[in-house]
Amino acid sequence: MNQYVQIGEIKVKVPDEEPVAPDSSDCCGSGSCCPCVWDYYRAQQQAWQQAQAGQAD
């Protein structure tokens, strides 16, 4: 089942496995990307952590 959640201003699919951090070369460093690959990674990480916490109940 594809579950999506809103984390801040980013809507992400809840990953089945813990997300892997992007390589430093994946970020352009300009600061103008919205969302940045790091923002997207952090949103996926948070969604995954929330899903894991919900499964522990």
Side-chain angles (χ1 to χ4, degrees):
M1 180 170 129
N2 290 335
Q3 180 181 359
Y4 290 83
V5 295
Q6 189 80 27
I7 305 292
E9 295 189 18
I10 302 172
K11 186 174 184 177
V12 295
K13 179 180 175 259
V14 177
D16 295 328
E17 297 179 1
E18 185 172 7
V20 176
D23 290 331
S24 60
S25 62
D26 291 337
C27 176
C28 69
S30 72
S32 63
C33 301
C34 186
C36 173
V37 293
W38 286 103
D39 296 330
Y40 188 72
Y41 164 71
R42 285 189 287 272
Q44 285 185 313
Q45 187 79 9
Q46 187 175 347
W48 182 78
Q49 289 171 344
Q50 289 174 357
Q52 296 305 302
Q55 291 177 1
D57 293 350

